[in-house]
Amino acid sequence: MRMIGILYATLICLCFSSLSQHAMAQVNPKNLKKHIKFLASDKMKGRETGRAGSHKAADYVEKYFKKYGLQAMGEKGYRQSFDAKIRRVKLVDSIRRSDNVIGYLDNGAPYTIVVGAHYDHLGYGEFGGSRDSLGVGKLHNGADDNASGVAGLLELARHYATNKEKEAFNFLFIGFGAEELGLVGSRYFTENPTLPLSNIHWMLNMDMIGRYQEQNGLAIIGYGTSTAFPKIFDGLTSSIKFNLSKDGNGGSDQTSFYRKNIPVLFFHTGGHDDYHKPTDDEFKIDYRSLEAILQLEIDVIDNSMKQPKMDFQWTN
């Protein structure tokens, strides 16, 4: 009877431990809402590259990287500064200063997984890019594009920095600047990496993950960039529908890494009527689906850490 009691107690402890670990793996929807509300608020003035709102967004990302204990991995602290040029329209101040914000989770591993999202947006739409001709001069808050991706970036950073696990890979979390001016920040990083590109296992990019549409599903772009991805996705399920697309190119920051022969995945919920318009506001974000997308990303990342250094293959 005593032995049965011991076994029962052990089973309860193991179940409690498993539940605790599972709870730690969950994305916190309150954090997602807090991040997006801040980044897409009117006071951020659309996070236009080189303007105060964009700099505040970079400060916000850095604040949370520090909070989660990530090591500074920029060229000066967490920052990697660069100049970006506005090319769509002629402006007197067409050269804008911007930053990549880079935090490193060092697990003492030989290889590193990069997780990225761009934090900039269109401001008042006056430097080009707005899809609303009558909206130029109006605030473009960019809740989906890309406050949603930055919220995801910060939640994944929180998860892997605080899950009390020493993973088999290191993590490099990057908030990219000046994506809206032509992937400038990510391209600058891949031309001036703060760790060897040869040490990167693969790169995950989030851009517009807040407006899930069930009829289309979540697009996961880059599935063909490594022969390891079919193994990684084998058996994975989610409460949302997702579609796998092979090509590594795709109009966002993962393209800069793909062009350096690095496997990539780009998570994207697709275009919508508010894309690059003043109507891309926080109240339209689908938080339940956003949470499910991030949980799927955690599952993908965890499966990728069961693979040896991933190979790369061109898809186009």
Side-chain angles (χ1 to χ4, degrees):
M1 197 66 186
R2 182 171 178 274
M3 180 59 70
I4 292 173
I6 291 170
L7 288 171
Y8 180 75
T10 302
L11 180 62
I12 291 294
C13 288
L14 287 172
C15 289
F16 179 78
S17 174
S18 176
L19 286 170
S20 297
Q21 290 176 7
H22 183 67
M24 284 191 293
Q26 298 303 305
V27 173
N28 187 334
K30 290 182 180 179
N31 286 345
L32 296 174
K33 189 156 219 171
K34 176 178 68 176
H35 296 324
I36 295 175
K37 277 195 155 188
F38 178 85
L39 292 164
S41 64
D42 288 353
K43 68 182 180 182
M44 300 298 282
K45 306 296 184 186
R47 307 188 307 279
E48 180 179 336
T49 298
R51 295 288 184 256
S54 181
H55 297 320
K56 285 180 184 177
D59 291 343
Y60 188 82
V61 173
E62 180 175 334
K63 177 178 80 171
Y64 279 93
F65 282 1
K66 287 178 178 176
K67 179 178 179 179
Y68 301 144
L70 302 182
Q71 295 180 21
M73 192 58 91
E75 293 169 347
K76 186 176 181 181
Y78 290 88
R79 303 302 180 100
Q80 182 184 49
S81 300
F82 57 90
D83 289 332
K85 183 175 176 61
I86 294 171
R87 301 180 185 277
R88 294 191 189 104
V89 297
K90 289 186 177 181
L91 295 174
V92 175
D93 61 340
S94 63
I95 304 297
R96 303 287 180 86
R97 196 69 170 166
S98 187
D99 296 288
N100 293 325
V101 186
I102 309 172
Y104 184 59
L105 180 57
D106 186 0
N107 289 317
Y111 300 115
T112 297
I113 296 169
V114 176
V115 180
H118 76 89
Y119 61 81
D120 63 305
H121 195 52
L122 301 183
Y124 288 89
E126 294 169 333
F127 66 80
S130 178
R131 292 179 60 247
D132 183 356
S133 60
L134 299 178
V136 175
K138 295 179 182 178
L139 203 53
H140 292 59
N141 282 323
D144 187 29
D145 186 13
N146 185 34
S148 65
V150 177
L153 172 73
L154 295 178
E155 267 300 272
L156 292 183
R158 180 192 64 81
H159 167 69
Y160 285 105
T162 64
N163 66 356
K164 303 186 186 303
E165 295 285 334
K166 189 171 183 179
E167 313 289 358
F169 288 80
N170 313 311
F171 286 86
L172 195 70
F173 297 96
I174 310 178
F176 295 112
E179 188 271 353
E180 298 289 4
L181 299 185
L183 316 184
V184 181
S186 58
R187 187 170 64 248
Y188 187 86
F189 175 83
T190 57
E191 294 293 339
N192 305 273
T194 59
L195 59 71
L197 296 182
S198 59
N199 289 357
I200 295 176
H201 191 41
W202 68 287
M203 187 270 184
L204 185 154
N205 180 42
M206 292 167 280
D207 194 349
M208 298 176 62
I209 55 172
R211 297 283 293 272
Y212 176 75
Q213 302 163 68
E214 189 172 3
Q215 66 272 24
N216 297 327
L218 168 72
I220 303 178
I221 296 163
Y223 179 77
T225 60
S226 176
T227 61
F229 281 131
K231 302 172 208 168
I232 290 166
F233 278 89
D234 186 33
L236 279 188
T237 59
S238 175
S239 60
I240 59 171
K241 180 174 74 174
F242 59 90
N243 303 305
L244 300 170
S245 175
K246 289 185 176 181
D247 194 8
N249 283 307
S252 190
D253 289 310
Q254 86 289 340
T255 303
S256 300
F257 289 78
Y258 170 69
R259 290 173 179 170
K260 293 293 185 179
N261 299 345
I262 295 168
V264 297
L265 289 179
F266 167 27
F267 287 73
H268 179 51
T269 51
H272 46 75
D273 287 343
D274 300 309
Y275 168 65
H276 277 202
K277 292 182 180 179
T279 49
D280 182 8
D281 288 316
E282 181 274 331
F283 72 90
K284 298 180 179 180
I285 296 295
D286 179 354
Y287 284 99
R288 180 169 299 201
S289 296
L290 176 55
E291 183 181 355
I293 289 166
L294 293 171
Q295 190 58 54
L296 174 61
E297 290 179 0
I298 288 172
D299 293 341
V300 171
I301 291 170
D302 289 351
N303 276 1
S304 80
M305 291 191 286
K306 299 172 186 174
Q307 300 293 324
K309 175 70 161 59
M310 289 168 58
D311 65 342
F312 171 81
Q313 58 184 14
W314 285 97
T315 58
N316 59 320

